[in-house]
Amino acid sequence: MTRRVSLRMHDPAATAPLWMRIVTIALGLAVSAIVVGLSSSSPGIYSSMWAATFGSSLGLTQVGQLATPLILAGLAVAIGRRVGLWNVGVDGQLLMGAWAATFVAFHAGGLPGPLLVVLMMFAGLLGGAVWALLPALTRAYLSVNEVITTLMLNFVAALWLSYWTTGPWAANGAQLGSLSTRQVPAGTYLHQFSVGSVTIGLGLVIAVVAVVVAAIALRWLRLGYYATLASGEEATARYAGVSQRGAQLWGFLVSGAIGGFAGVVVELDQVHRYSSALTSNTGYIGLIIAVLAATSLLGLVPVGVLMAVVVAAGNGLRIAGISSDLVLFVTGVLLLFAGAADVAARYRLRVGAPPGAAPVDAVEPPATASPVMEVPPS
Amino acid sequence: MNATEAALALAVLSAAPLLYAALGELLHEKLGMFNAGIEGVMLMGGVIGYMVAVDSANILLGFAVAAIAAAAFNLLVYAFPVLVMRSSQILVSFALWFIGAGLSAQLGLNYVSRPLPESIGNTSIPLLSRLPFLGNIFFRQPWPVYVAVALTLVVAFVLKRTSHGLSMRAIGEDPASAHASGIPVRAWQTFYTGIGGALMGIGGATLTLVVTGTWTSQITAGRGFVAFALVIFAGWRASGLIWGSFLFGLLLVLGPVGQAHGWSIPSSILGMAPYIFTVAVLTFRTWLELRRSGRTLAPAALGLVFVRGQR
């Protein structure tokens, strides 16, 4: 009998452990760096990437700015994943949240700044939740694929933006290359902190606090228990007295609300208008942030910052002939590697088991119990 | 040709990329594979077809290379992780979409403002093109439109009337039984992932080489996902894809037609029609099937990974 190396299913629900995720990210980024190197003929692209991220205070400031909506988008996707659903519509929810907030700002612009900020944030949460309502209802009650419905609504939200910025809210002298309204009142701008020569917006602090609050709520409140039931077997949830449909519905609405919140925060913190500049594939990059952070909500912060570094590095390469959409390629490669790592975590390598033999951890019968069993020659 | 006929003819033309892509998706789903990354494969086919056609001044060569490249892309980025590594089909679908979207944008960066050397002409079908009204709409189209319909009819026939088609459907319904009856499940799934990818790529190339005649990044604007919904809308029947795609094509041209005729509704609002319609149709169709039979018409083993020895 020959000794063989075989793979055996170990835990079908396992996700990759931390070290495997770090290796995954490193491999994915290495592959991406090679492709970027092949795509650009201009020399010194790696030093441009360094300058656009950690190599300058402007780079660090930009990483912080980019991380703000990315962390919130990752949180929105992660909350959806907690109830077993994929929210691919964060981009649309973000734009609709910003639209609702801008509506408030344009119609109640006379209010004092802090009050207006709070009102705009509520409007943003509401706008995002409303935009997630239809996919949430159709998914929970009719099992309509939420990937398609949320994605379709992204295009509707983008066209909605193009309607308002060219129609009712058209601004004279809008920023070049983007569809924008005029600015919201200056009293709503979020505070910018200076740390040395690096500027960090209050928006980033808000994003991190939102993640911490969500992590605490799901860890210590009953909400987390409901979410777990919602993503599992329907019968288990029913036995525990929890309506799976209700939990999915509410989970998805919260996910949408956070998507809308990401829109308001980035508007108040950086863009100050209802504009196509509010998102640049933010919701899609949020998907990989949630996937890489897996079951850890707090992990969204470091992964969000990491993806902000990737986006900032990509932005630094525009003049070197690199498309701003190449960041999607990096996102895709990371997703592919993360998926493979999750599969790898489900299996264990076993050495020495003959093909078709019982697993080693099974109780072995005494050698004398079975007369047909032959002692293998060693 | 009057304005109505021209608008309807444009709708038929706009339906062709959707039909190719949906047919490619149908071949995945009939064999139990769920591929939501059509968008990425269409974009790769679209950009590579355009690059080859511009550089070689040969549109037919553009189509051929687009088909081969898209098949290879789908095999490498979708079939390998799903069939060999058994990764989650939804995660791989997202990866396929993003990799295609990012890579195509990068590849086509220098082709954005380069025009096609020649435009593909319309081919009139003898006799039929002389029909009043219908002739101008359906039978004076570029050849990729006819090929799309012909291929769909071939797939419909193979799936429904041949034993090969029966075996294909068996893989999507119950791969373990299909395997037990001697069908090489994974080999067939790999083969049809290649064919399906080629069809999606041809769909993308039809969009860039025939419908728009230009390349810009993310030119498909969600058509891959509309094609995905189209398969559900057609109840997983190939023949249903033909008139379904025409319906979606009609909605796709609503914006441009409205703008050309100076309708009072803004074109950005009209442009929402195909997306809203997709959501509405998907919801209605699912509701109808659930009410009628308690389940959808999807292949029973759709999205499940078949591993020999595990059920």
Side-chain angles (χ1 to χ4, degrees), chain A residues 39 86 134 138 142 148 151-152 155-156 159-160 162-163 284 287 321-323 325-326 328-329 332-333 335-336 340 343 347, chain B residues 85-87 90-91 94-95 97-99 102 105-106 109 217-218 221-222 225 228 266 268 271-272 275 279 283 286 290:
Chain A
S39 302
W86 285 102
L134 185 70
T138 54
L142 291 170
I148 307 294
L151 193 95
M152 291 288 114
F155 290 99
V156 177
L159 287 163
W160 183 250
S162 124
Y163 167 71
Y284 304 131
L287 281 173
I322 295 294
S323 160
D325 280 340
L326 199 63
L328 286 176
F329 172 82
V333 170
L335 270 170
L336 213 52
V343 175
Y347 290 85
Chain B
M85 300 185 59
R86 302 161 192 170
S87 288
I90 183 82
L91 269 189
F94 289 151
W97 164 30
F98 290 151
I99 292 177
Q106 182 59 41
L109 209 54
S217 106
Q218 318 309 330
F225 293 91
F228 186 93
S268 46
M272 295 176 183
Y275 306 114
V279 173
T283 307
T286 319
L290 287 178

Short mmCIF file of all heavy atoms in Angstrom, two decimals, chain A residues 39 86 134 138 142 148 151-152 155-156 159-160 162-163 284 287 321-323 325-326 328-329 332-333 335-336 340 343 347, chain B residues 85-87 90-91 94-95 97-99 102 105-106 109 217-218 221-222 225 228 266 268 271-272 275 279 283 286 290:
data_model
loop_
_atom_site.label_atom_id
_atom_site.label_comp_id
_atom_site.label_asym_id
_atom_site.label_seq_id
_atom_site.Cartn_x
_atom_site.Cartn_y
_atom_site.Cartn_z
N SER A 39 1.85 47.48 -18.30
CA SER A 39 0.92 48.36 -19.00
C SER A 39 1.51 49.73 -19.30
O SER A 39 1.00 50.46 -20.14
CB SER A 39 -0.36 48.57 -18.17
OG SER A 39 -0.97 47.34 -17.92
N TRP A 86 -25.84 39.96 -0.93
CA TRP A 86 -24.80 40.75 -1.59
C TRP A 86 -25.38 42.11 -1.95
O TRP A 86 -26.25 42.19 -2.82
CB TRP A 86 -24.31 40.06 -2.85
CG TRP A 86 -23.43 38.90 -2.60
CD1 TRP A 86 -23.77 37.58 -2.66
CD2 TRP A 86 -22.04 38.93 -2.25
NE1 TRP A 86 -22.69 36.79 -2.36
CE2 TRP A 86 -21.61 37.59 -2.10
CE3 TRP A 86 -21.11 39.96 -2.03
CZ2 TRP A 86 -20.31 37.26 -1.76
CZ3 TRP A 86 -19.82 39.61 -1.69
CH2 TRP A 86 -19.42 38.28 -1.56
N LEU A 134 -36.51 48.47 -2.48
CA LEU A 134 -37.06 47.58 -3.50
C LEU A 134 -36.26 46.27 -3.61
O LEU A 134 -36.85 45.18 -3.53
CB LEU A 134 -37.12 48.31 -4.85
CG LEU A 134 -37.78 47.52 -5.97
CD1 LEU A 134 -39.27 47.40 -5.73
CD2 LEU A 134 -37.54 48.20 -7.31
N THR A 138 -37.99 42.64 -2.60
CA THR A 138 -38.12 41.58 -3.60
C THR A 138 -37.25 40.38 -3.24
O THR A 138 -37.60 39.25 -3.52
CB THR A 138 -37.76 42.08 -5.00
OG1 THR A 138 -36.47 42.67 -4.96
CG2 THR A 138 -38.76 43.10 -5.50
N LEU A 142 -39.64 37.47 -2.39
CA LEU A 142 -39.80 36.75 -3.66
C LEU A 142 -38.53 36.04 -4.10
O LEU A 142 -38.50 35.44 -5.17
CB LEU A 142 -40.24 37.72 -4.76
CG LEU A 142 -41.66 38.29 -4.64
CD1 LEU A 142 -41.86 39.41 -5.64
CD2 LEU A 142 -42.70 37.20 -4.87
N ILE A 148 -28.63 41.50 -9.20
CA ILE A 148 -29.10 42.17 -10.41
C ILE A 148 -29.89 43.44 -10.05
O ILE A 148 -29.66 44.50 -10.63
CB ILE A 148 -30.01 41.23 -11.23
CG1 ILE A 148 -29.30 39.91 -11.51
CG2 ILE A 148 -30.44 41.89 -12.53
CD1 ILE A 148 -28.12 40.02 -12.38
N LEU A 151 -27.69 46.25 -8.72
CA LEU A 151 -26.81 46.77 -9.77
C LEU A 151 -27.57 47.64 -10.77
O LEU A 151 -27.10 48.70 -11.18
CB LEU A 151 -26.12 45.63 -10.48
CG LEU A 151 -25.00 46.19 -11.30
CD1 LEU A 151 -23.71 46.13 -10.53
CD2 LEU A 151 -24.89 45.57 -12.62
N MET A 152 -28.75 47.19 -11.16
CA MET A 152 -29.56 47.96 -12.11
C MET A 152 -29.87 49.34 -11.53
O MET A 152 -29.85 50.35 -12.22
CB MET A 152 -30.87 47.23 -12.41
CG MET A 152 -30.71 45.97 -13.22
SD MET A 152 -30.27 46.29 -14.92
CE MET A 152 -28.65 45.64 -15.04
N PHE A 155 -27.34 52.17 -12.02
CA PHE A 155 -27.40 52.92 -13.28
C PHE A 155 -28.52 53.95 -13.22
O PHE A 155 -28.37 55.06 -13.74
CB PHE A 155 -27.60 51.96 -14.46
CG PHE A 155 -26.38 51.11 -14.72
CD1 PHE A 155 -26.30 49.82 -14.25
CD2 PHE A 155 -25.31 51.64 -15.42
CE1 PHE A 155 -25.17 49.04 -14.48
CE2 PHE A 155 -24.18 50.88 -15.66
CZ PHE A 155 -24.10 49.59 -15.18
N VAL A 156 -29.62 53.57 -12.58
CA VAL A 156 -30.73 54.53 -12.44
C VAL A 156 -30.27 55.73 -11.61
O VAL A 156 -30.54 56.88 -11.95
CB VAL A 156 -31.96 53.84 -11.81
CG1 VAL A 156 -33.08 54.85 -11.60
CG2 VAL A 156 -32.44 52.70 -12.69
N LEU A 159 -28.11 58.04 -13.62
CA LEU A 159 -28.90 58.84 -14.56
C LEU A 159 -29.70 59.91 -13.83
O LEU A 159 -29.92 61.01 -14.35
CB LEU A 159 -29.83 57.92 -15.36
CG LEU A 159 -29.13 57.07 -16.42
CD1 LEU A 159 -30.00 55.91 -16.87
CD2 LEU A 159 -28.73 57.93 -17.61
N TRP A 160 -30.13 59.58 -12.62
CA TRP A 160 -30.83 60.54 -11.76
C TRP A 160 -29.91 61.73 -11.48
O TRP A 160 -30.31 62.89 -11.56
CB TRP A 160 -31.22 59.82 -10.46
CG TRP A 160 -32.01 60.59 -9.45
CD1 TRP A 160 -31.55 61.02 -8.23
CD2 TRP A 160 -33.39 61.00 -9.52
NE1 TRP A 160 -32.57 61.66 -7.56
CE2 TRP A 160 -33.70 61.65 -8.31
CE3 TRP A 160 -34.39 60.85 -10.48
CZ2 TRP A 160 -34.95 62.18 -8.04
CZ3 TRP A 160 -35.65 61.38 -10.21
CH2 TRP A 160 -35.92 62.03 -9.00
N SER A 162 -27.42 62.65 -13.38
CA SER A 162 -27.22 63.41 -14.61
C SER A 162 -28.44 64.29 -14.89
O SER A 162 -28.30 65.41 -15.39
CB SER A 162 -26.89 62.44 -15.74
OG SER A 162 -27.76 62.57 -16.81
N TYR A 163 -29.64 63.83 -14.52
CA TYR A 163 -30.84 64.64 -14.70
C TYR A 163 -30.79 65.89 -13.82
O TYR A 163 -31.00 67.01 -14.29
CB TYR A 163 -32.09 63.81 -14.40
CG TYR A 163 -33.34 64.66 -14.26
CD1 TYR A 163 -33.91 65.28 -15.37
CD2 TYR A 163 -33.94 64.86 -13.02
CE1 TYR A 163 -35.04 66.08 -15.25
CE2 TYR A 163 -35.06 65.64 -12.89
CZ TYR A 163 -35.62 66.25 -14.00
OH TYR A 163 -36.72 67.04 -13.88
N TYR A 284 -18.06 49.22 -5.54
CA TYR A 284 -17.48 47.96 -6.03
C TYR A 284 -16.22 47.61 -5.25
O TYR A 284 -15.97 46.44 -4.93
CB TYR A 284 -17.19 48.06 -7.52
CG TYR A 284 -18.43 48.44 -8.32
CD1 TYR A 284 -18.43 49.45 -9.26
CD2 TYR A 284 -19.63 47.79 -8.06
CE1 TYR A 284 -19.58 49.80 -9.95
CE2 TYR A 284 -20.78 48.13 -8.74
CZ TYR A 284 -20.76 49.13 -9.69
OH TYR A 284 -21.90 49.48 -10.35
N LEU A 287 -16.94 45.93 -2.03
CA LEU A 287 -17.14 44.48 -2.04
C LEU A 287 -15.88 43.74 -1.59
O LEU A 287 -15.94 42.86 -0.74
CB LEU A 287 -17.51 44.01 -3.46
CG LEU A 287 -18.93 44.22 -3.95
CD1 LEU A 287 -19.02 43.86 -5.41
CD2 LEU A 287 -19.89 43.36 -3.14
N GLY A 321 -0.06 56.88 -18.26
CA GLY A 321 -0.82 56.05 -19.19
C GLY A 321 -1.52 54.89 -18.52
O GLY A 321 -1.66 53.81 -19.11
N ILE A 322 -1.96 55.06 -17.27
CA ILE A 322 -2.69 54.00 -16.58
C ILE A 322 -4.13 54.48 -16.40
O ILE A 322 -4.38 55.58 -15.93
CB ILE A 322 -2.05 53.70 -15.21
CG1 ILE A 322 -0.64 53.13 -15.38
CG2 ILE A 322 -2.91 52.74 -14.40
CD1 ILE A 322 -0.59 51.78 -16.04
N SER A 323 -5.09 53.63 -16.79
CA SER A 323 -6.50 53.98 -16.67
C SER A 323 -6.93 54.01 -15.21
O SER A 323 -6.47 53.19 -14.41
CB SER A 323 -7.34 52.97 -17.44
OG SER A 323 -8.67 53.00 -17.00
N ASP A 325 -9.62 53.06 -14.19
CA ASP A 325 -10.41 51.85 -13.93
C ASP A 325 -9.55 50.62 -13.66
O ASP A 325 -10.07 49.56 -13.36
CB ASP A 325 -11.33 51.55 -15.12
CG ASP A 325 -12.58 52.43 -15.10
OD1 ASP A 325 -12.90 52.96 -14.02
OD2 ASP A 325 -13.21 52.57 -16.15
N LEU A 326 -8.22 50.77 -13.79
CA LEU A 326 -7.37 49.59 -13.55
C LEU A 326 -7.50 49.11 -12.11
O LEU A 326 -7.24 47.95 -11.81
CB LEU A 326 -5.91 49.87 -13.91
CG LEU A 326 -5.07 48.60 -14.13
CD1 LEU A 326 -5.57 47.80 -15.31
CD2 LEU A 326 -3.60 48.91 -14.31
N LEU A 328 -10.13 48.47 -10.70
CA LEU A 328 -11.11 47.38 -10.74
C LEU A 328 -10.42 46.05 -11.01
O LEU A 328 -10.80 45.01 -10.47
CB LEU A 328 -12.17 47.64 -11.82
CG LEU A 328 -13.20 48.71 -11.52
CD1 LEU A 328 -14.11 48.92 -12.72
CD2 LEU A 328 -14.02 48.31 -10.30
N PHE A 329 -9.39 46.09 -11.86
CA PHE A 329 -8.62 44.87 -12.14
C PHE A 329 -7.99 44.36 -10.85
O PHE A 329 -8.07 43.17 -10.54
CB PHE A 329 -7.56 45.18 -13.20
CG PHE A 329 -6.58 44.06 -13.42
CD1 PHE A 329 -6.91 43.00 -14.24
CD2 PHE A 329 -5.35 44.05 -12.79
CE1 PHE A 329 -6.02 41.96 -14.44
CE2 PHE A 329 -4.45 43.02 -12.97
CZ PHE A 329 -4.79 41.96 -13.81
N GLY A 332 -10.57 42.78 -8.74
CA GLY A 332 -10.95 41.46 -9.25
C GLY A 332 -9.92 40.40 -8.90
O GLY A 332 -10.26 39.30 -8.48
N VAL A 333 -8.63 40.74 -9.08
CA VAL A 333 -7.58 39.77 -8.77
C VAL A 333 -7.62 39.42 -7.29
O VAL A 333 -7.53 38.23 -6.91
CB VAL A 333 -6.19 40.33 -9.18
CG1 VAL A 333 -5.07 39.45 -8.65
CG2 VAL A 333 -6.10 40.44 -10.69
N LEU A 335 -10.21 39.50 -5.34
CA LEU A 335 -11.40 38.68 -5.10
C LEU A 335 -11.13 37.23 -5.47
O LEU A 335 -11.51 36.30 -4.75
CB LEU A 335 -12.57 39.18 -5.96
CG LEU A 335 -13.47 40.24 -5.36
CD1 LEU A 335 -14.41 40.78 -6.41
CD2 LEU A 335 -14.29 39.64 -4.22
N LEU A 336 -10.47 37.05 -6.61
CA LEU A 336 -10.16 35.70 -7.09
C LEU A 336 -9.28 34.96 -6.08
O LEU A 336 -9.53 33.81 -5.72
CB LEU A 336 -9.45 35.82 -8.43
CG LEU A 336 -9.65 34.75 -9.48
CD1 LEU A 336 -11.12 34.51 -9.73
CD2 LEU A 336 -8.96 35.15 -10.78
N ALA A 340 -10.17 31.72 -3.56
CA ALA A 340 -9.35 30.52 -3.54
C ALA A 340 -8.88 30.21 -2.12
O ALA A 340 -8.86 29.06 -1.69
CB ALA A 340 -8.16 30.68 -4.48
N VAL A 343 -11.57 28.53 -0.11
CA VAL A 343 -11.70 27.11 -0.45
C VAL A 343 -10.58 26.33 0.22
O VAL A 343 -10.79 25.28 0.83
CB VAL A 343 -11.66 26.90 -1.97
CG1 VAL A 343 -11.66 25.41 -2.29
CG2 VAL A 343 -12.84 27.58 -2.63
N TYR A 347 -10.23 22.70 3.36
CA TYR A 347 -9.63 21.39 3.20
C TYR A 347 -8.39 21.26 4.08
O TYR A 347 -7.76 22.24 4.45
CB TYR A 347 -9.25 21.15 1.73
CG TYR A 347 -10.46 20.98 0.84
CD1 TYR A 347 -11.10 22.09 0.31
CD2 TYR A 347 -10.96 19.72 0.57
CE1 TYR A 347 -12.23 21.93 -0.48
CE2 TYR A 347 -12.07 19.55 -0.22
CZ TYR A 347 -12.71 20.66 -0.75
OH TYR A 347 -13.81 20.49 -1.53
N MET B 85 -10.76 24.69 -8.93
CA MET B 85 -10.50 25.04 -7.53
C MET B 85 -11.76 25.06 -6.67
O MET B 85 -11.68 25.17 -5.47
CB MET B 85 -9.81 26.39 -7.47
CG MET B 85 -8.49 26.36 -8.21
SD MET B 85 -7.62 27.90 -8.04
CE MET B 85 -7.46 27.96 -6.28
N ARG B 86 -12.94 24.97 -7.33
CA ARG B 86 -14.22 24.93 -6.62
C ARG B 86 -14.47 26.17 -5.78
O ARG B 86 -15.02 26.11 -4.68
CB ARG B 86 -14.30 23.68 -5.74
CG ARG B 86 -14.14 22.41 -6.52
CD ARG B 86 -13.77 21.29 -5.58
NE ARG B 86 -13.32 20.10 -6.31
CZ ARG B 86 -12.75 19.06 -5.73
NH1 ARG B 86 -12.57 19.05 -4.44
NH2 ARG B 86 -12.38 18.02 -6.43
N SER B 87 -14.02 27.33 -6.27
CA SER B 87 -14.29 28.58 -5.56
C SER B 87 -15.76 28.92 -5.67
O SER B 87 -16.46 28.42 -6.54
CB SER B 87 -13.47 29.72 -6.18
OG SER B 87 -12.13 29.59 -5.88
N ILE B 90 -20.26 32.97 -7.06
CA ILE B 90 -20.62 34.39 -7.02
C ILE B 90 -19.37 35.26 -6.88
O ILE B 90 -19.21 36.27 -7.57
CB ILE B 90 -21.68 34.69 -5.92
CG1 ILE B 90 -22.10 36.15 -5.93
CG2 ILE B 90 -21.21 34.33 -4.53
CD1 ILE B 90 -23.15 36.46 -6.94
N LEU B 91 -18.43 34.82 -6.02
CA LEU B 91 -17.18 35.58 -5.87
C LEU B 91 -16.40 35.60 -7.17
O LEU B 91 -15.88 36.65 -7.59
CB LEU B 91 -16.30 34.94 -4.78
CG LEU B 91 -16.46 35.42 -3.36
CD1 LEU B 91 -15.35 34.83 -2.49
CD2 LEU B 91 -16.42 36.92 -3.28
N PHE B 94 -17.94 38.02 -9.65
CA PHE B 94 -17.55 39.41 -9.39
C PHE B 94 -16.12 39.65 -9.90
O PHE B 94 -15.82 40.68 -10.51
CB PHE B 94 -17.61 39.73 -7.89
CG PHE B 94 -19.01 39.82 -7.34
CD1 PHE B 94 -19.27 39.51 -6.01
CD2 PHE B 94 -20.07 40.21 -8.14
CE1 PHE B 94 -20.56 39.59 -5.49
CE2 PHE B 94 -21.36 40.30 -7.63
CZ PHE B 94 -21.60 39.98 -6.31
N ALA B 95 -15.23 38.68 -9.61
CA ALA B 95 -13.84 38.83 -10.03
C ALA B 95 -13.76 38.92 -11.56
O ALA B 95 -13.05 39.77 -12.11
CB ALA B 95 -13.01 37.65 -9.53
N TRP B 97 -16.04 39.96 -13.65
CA TRP B 97 -16.56 41.27 -14.05
C TRP B 97 -15.50 42.37 -13.83
O TRP B 97 -15.19 43.15 -14.73
CB TRP B 97 -17.84 41.53 -13.25
CG TRP B 97 -18.35 42.93 -13.22
CD1 TRP B 97 -18.22 43.89 -14.17
CD2 TRP B 97 -19.11 43.52 -12.15
NE1 TRP B 97 -18.85 45.04 -13.76
CE2 TRP B 97 -19.39 44.84 -12.54
CE3 TRP B 97 -19.58 43.04 -10.92
CZ2 TRP B 97 -20.13 45.70 -11.73
CZ3 TRP B 97 -20.32 43.90 -10.11
CH2 TRP B 97 -20.58 45.21 -10.52
N PHE B 98 -14.92 42.42 -12.61
CA PHE B 98 -13.98 43.49 -12.29
C PHE B 98 -12.70 43.38 -13.11
O PHE B 98 -12.18 44.39 -13.60
CB PHE B 98 -13.64 43.47 -10.80
CG PHE B 98 -14.78 43.89 -9.92
CD1 PHE B 98 -14.92 43.39 -8.63
CD2 PHE B 98 -15.73 44.79 -10.38
CE1 PHE B 98 -15.96 43.78 -7.81
CE2 PHE B 98 -16.79 45.19 -9.57
CZ PHE B 98 -16.90 44.68 -8.29
N ILE B 99 -12.19 42.15 -13.26
CA ILE B 99 -10.95 41.99 -14.03
C ILE B 99 -11.19 42.40 -15.48
O ILE B 99 -10.40 43.13 -16.08
CB ILE B 99 -10.43 40.54 -13.92
CG1 ILE B 99 -9.95 40.26 -12.49
CG2 ILE B 99 -9.29 40.30 -14.90
CD1 ILE B 99 -9.47 38.85 -12.24
N GLY B 102 -11.60 46.30 -15.61
CA GLY B 102 -10.36 47.03 -15.42
C GLY B 102 -9.38 46.83 -16.56
O GLY B 102 -8.80 47.77 -17.09
N ALA B 105 -10.47 48.51 -19.86
CA ALA B 105 -10.26 49.96 -19.82
C ALA B 105 -8.80 50.29 -20.10
O ALA B 105 -8.48 51.23 -20.83
CB ALA B 105 -10.68 50.51 -18.46
N GLN B 106 -7.90 49.47 -19.51
CA GLN B 106 -6.47 49.71 -19.70
C GLN B 106 -6.04 49.42 -21.15
O GLN B 106 -5.36 50.21 -21.78
CB GLN B 106 -5.68 48.84 -18.71
CG GLN B 106 -4.19 49.04 -18.78
CD GLN B 106 -3.79 50.48 -18.49
OE1 GLN B 106 -4.33 51.12 -17.61
NE2 GLN B 106 -2.86 51.00 -19.28
N LEU B 109 -7.22 52.08 -23.76
CA LEU B 109 -6.98 53.49 -23.44
C LEU B 109 -6.59 54.31 -24.68
O LEU B 109 -7.03 55.44 -24.86
CB LEU B 109 -5.88 53.57 -22.38
CG LEU B 109 -5.91 54.75 -21.42
CD1 LEU B 109 -7.24 54.86 -20.73
CD2 LEU B 109 -4.80 54.61 -20.40
N SER B 217 -14.33 53.20 -22.20
CA SER B 217 -14.30 52.25 -21.09
C SER B 217 -15.71 52.10 -20.51
O SER B 217 -16.49 53.05 -20.50
CB SER B 217 -13.28 52.74 -20.04
OG SER B 217 -13.92 53.26 -18.93
N GLN B 218 -16.03 50.89 -20.09
CA GLN B 218 -17.35 50.54 -19.52
C GLN B 218 -18.49 50.83 -20.51
O GLN B 218 -19.57 51.26 -20.12
CB GLN B 218 -17.62 51.25 -18.19
CG GLN B 218 -16.46 51.31 -17.23
CD GLN B 218 -15.81 49.97 -16.98
OE1 GLN B 218 -16.45 48.93 -17.04
NE2 GLN B 218 -14.52 49.95 -16.75
N ALA B 221 -22.22 49.36 -20.11
CA ALA B 221 -23.19 50.03 -19.23
C ALA B 221 -24.25 49.08 -18.68
O ALA B 221 -25.45 49.34 -18.76
CB ALA B 221 -23.86 51.19 -19.96
N GLY B 222 -23.83 47.96 -18.13
CA GLY B 222 -24.77 47.06 -17.47
C GLY B 222 -25.44 46.06 -18.38
O GLY B 222 -26.27 45.27 -17.92
N PHE B 225 -25.48 42.49 -17.23
CA PHE B 225 -26.44 42.14 -16.19
C PHE B 225 -27.86 42.09 -16.75
O PHE B 225 -28.68 41.29 -16.30
CB PHE B 225 -26.33 43.11 -15.02
CG PHE B 225 -25.02 42.97 -14.30
CD1 PHE B 225 -23.93 43.72 -14.68
CD2 PHE B 225 -24.87 42.04 -13.30
CE1 PHE B 225 -22.70 43.55 -14.07
CE2 PHE B 225 -23.66 41.87 -12.67
CZ PHE B 225 -22.57 42.63 -13.06
N PHE B 228 -28.12 38.77 -18.18
CA PHE B 228 -28.33 37.80 -17.11
C PHE B 228 -29.82 37.73 -16.76
O PHE B 228 -30.40 36.65 -16.62
CB PHE B 228 -27.51 38.22 -15.89
CG PHE B 228 -27.52 37.22 -14.77
CD1 PHE B 228 -26.54 36.27 -14.66
CD2 PHE B 228 -28.54 37.24 -13.81
CE1 PHE B 228 -26.56 35.34 -13.64
CE2 PHE B 228 -28.56 36.32 -12.78
CZ PHE B 228 -27.56 35.37 -12.70
N PRO B 266 -36.63 64.33 -20.41
CA PRO B 266 -35.17 64.37 -20.58
C PRO B 266 -34.62 62.98 -20.90
O PRO B 266 -35.14 61.97 -20.42
CB PRO B 266 -34.66 64.83 -19.21
CG PRO B 266 -35.84 65.41 -18.52
CD PRO B 266 -37.05 64.75 -19.07
N SER B 268 -31.99 61.57 -19.90
CA SER B 268 -31.46 60.81 -18.76
C SER B 268 -32.58 60.05 -18.06
O SER B 268 -32.36 58.96 -17.53
CB SER B 268 -30.73 61.73 -17.78
OG SER B 268 -31.47 62.89 -17.53
N GLY B 271 -33.41 57.14 -20.33
CA GLY B 271 -32.33 56.15 -20.27
C GLY B 271 -32.48 55.17 -19.13
O GLY B 271 -31.86 54.10 -19.13
N MET B 272 -33.29 55.53 -18.13
CA MET B 272 -33.50 54.62 -16.98
C MET B 272 -34.36 53.42 -17.37
O MET B 272 -34.39 52.41 -16.66
CB MET B 272 -34.20 55.36 -15.84
CG MET B 272 -33.40 56.47 -15.22
SD MET B 272 -34.45 57.30 -13.99
CE MET B 272 -33.34 58.61 -13.47
N TYR B 275 -33.16 49.68 -17.30
CA TYR B 275 -32.76 49.21 -15.97
C TYR B 275 -33.98 48.98 -15.08
O TYR B 275 -34.08 47.96 -14.39
CB TYR B 275 -31.80 50.22 -15.34
CG TYR B 275 -30.62 50.53 -16.22
CD1 TYR B 275 -30.42 51.79 -16.78
CD2 TYR B 275 -29.70 49.53 -16.54
CE1 TYR B 275 -29.34 52.05 -17.61
CE2 TYR B 275 -28.62 49.78 -17.37
CZ TYR B 275 -28.45 51.04 -17.90
OH TYR B 275 -27.39 51.29 -18.71
N VAL B 279 -35.57 45.28 -13.55
CA VAL B 279 -35.97 45.00 -12.16
C VAL B 279 -37.44 44.56 -12.13
O VAL B 279 -37.79 43.55 -11.49
CB VAL B 279 -35.76 46.25 -11.28
CG1 VAL B 279 -36.33 46.01 -9.89
CG2 VAL B 279 -34.29 46.58 -11.19
N THR B 283 -38.82 40.76 -11.12
CA THR B 283 -39.71 40.60 -9.98
C THR B 283 -41.01 39.91 -10.41
O THR B 283 -41.44 38.94 -9.78
CB THR B 283 -40.05 42.00 -9.39
OG1 THR B 283 -38.82 42.66 -9.12
CG2 THR B 283 -40.86 41.88 -8.13
N THR B 286 -40.46 36.17 -11.38
CA THR B 286 -40.23 35.31 -10.22
C THR B 286 -41.52 35.11 -9.45
O THR B 286 -41.85 33.99 -9.03
CB THR B 286 -39.17 35.93 -9.29
OG1 THR B 286 -38.13 36.46 -10.10
CG2 THR B 286 -38.59 34.90 -8.36
N LEU B 290 -43.25 31.49 -8.82
CA LEU B 290 -43.42 31.01 -7.45
C LEU B 290 -44.89 30.73 -7.16
O LEU B 290 -45.24 29.77 -6.47
CB LEU B 290 -42.87 32.03 -6.45
CG LEU B 290 -41.35 32.15 -6.38
CD1 LEU B 290 -40.95 33.22 -5.40
CD2 LEU B 290 -40.72 30.82 -6.00
#
